[in-house]
């Protein structure tokens, strides 16, 4: 053979086609076994339903801004609200409100029950920011009604907690201003 023929063979994929053809029955059997195994594993998994809520965080300066401009908040507002939604207070209120210990089948006699509960909650409740600065809350559950109710409750509890925190901050500010006023 000439050196040119060896160079062409080095870049040829014919050997790969020969290899695949020689092992065609083995590859076919492996493909069928993998497909049947995948189908069996998927059918053994409980059916999961997803409920998704998208919302935009707002940053109104006063009530007139809400009505007049209906402006959306900045990315920092979305981040703050996501922190509220991810808070332990919200998580614990959903766990209590939906009796997730019983719903998830957690055995509270075991010492690691709380960690297992929180892990299951983290798997089923997901919060993400979209590229348009909205917040997407997704709740997965075996019961579609529970998934939808939890998604809505997550947002409702988040709104209530955010309002409470804002009121507390306004009260502190008002108290501070009153102290300064009285001192003068």
């Amino acid at each position: 053979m000439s050196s040119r023929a060896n160079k062409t063979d080095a870049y040829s994929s014919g050997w790969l086609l020969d290899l695949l053809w020689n092992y065609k029955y083995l590859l076919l059997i492996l493909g069928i076994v993998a497909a049947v195994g995948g189908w069996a594993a998927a059918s053994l998994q409980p059916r999961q339903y997803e409920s998704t809520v998208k919302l935009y965080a707002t940053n109104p300066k006063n009530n007139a801004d809400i009505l007049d401009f209906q402006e959306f908040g900045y990315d920092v507002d979305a981040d703050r609200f996501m922190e509220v939604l991810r808070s332990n207070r919200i998580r614990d209120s959903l766990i209590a409100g939906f009796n997730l210990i019983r719903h998830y089948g957690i055995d509270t006699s075991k010492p690691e029950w709380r960690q297992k509960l929180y892990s299951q909650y983290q798997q089923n409740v997901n919060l993400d920011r979209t590229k348009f600065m909205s917040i997407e809350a997704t709740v997965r559950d075996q019961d579609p009604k529970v998934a939808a109710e939890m998604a809505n409750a997550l947002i409702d509890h988040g709104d209530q907690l955010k309002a409470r925190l804002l009121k507390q901050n306004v009260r502190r500010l008002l108290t501070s201003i009153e102290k300064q006023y009285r001192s003068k």
Side-chain angles (χ1 to χ4, degrees), residues 20-21 63 78 97 144:
L20 292 174
W21 184 254
N63 289 339

Side-chain angles (χ1 to χ4, degrees), residues 151-164:
N152 290 328
L154 174 69
I155 302 307
D156 290 341
H157 290 306
D159 282 339
Q160 292 169 8
L161 179 57
K162 182 180 172 186
R164 256 185 277 142

Side-chain angles (χ1 to χ4, degrees), residues 36-52:
V36 169
W39 175 80
S43 65
L44 292 175
Q45 294 290 325
R47 190 173 272 172
Q48 290 282 313
Y49 296 92
E50 241 181 42
S51 182
T52 301

Side-chain angles (χ1 to χ4, degrees), residues 128-161:
D128 287 316
R129 281 253 321 270
T130 67
K131 63 182 178 180
F132 302 112
M133 291 193 302
S134 67
I135 299 170
E136 184 175 270
T138 304
V139 178
R140 286 178 206 82
D141 198 85
Q142 294 175 3
D143 183 352
K145 185 177 178 186
V146 171
E149 289 175 357
M150 274 183 68
N152 290 328
L154 174 69
I155 302 307
D156 290 341
H157 290 306
D159 282 339
Q160 292 169 8
L161 179 57

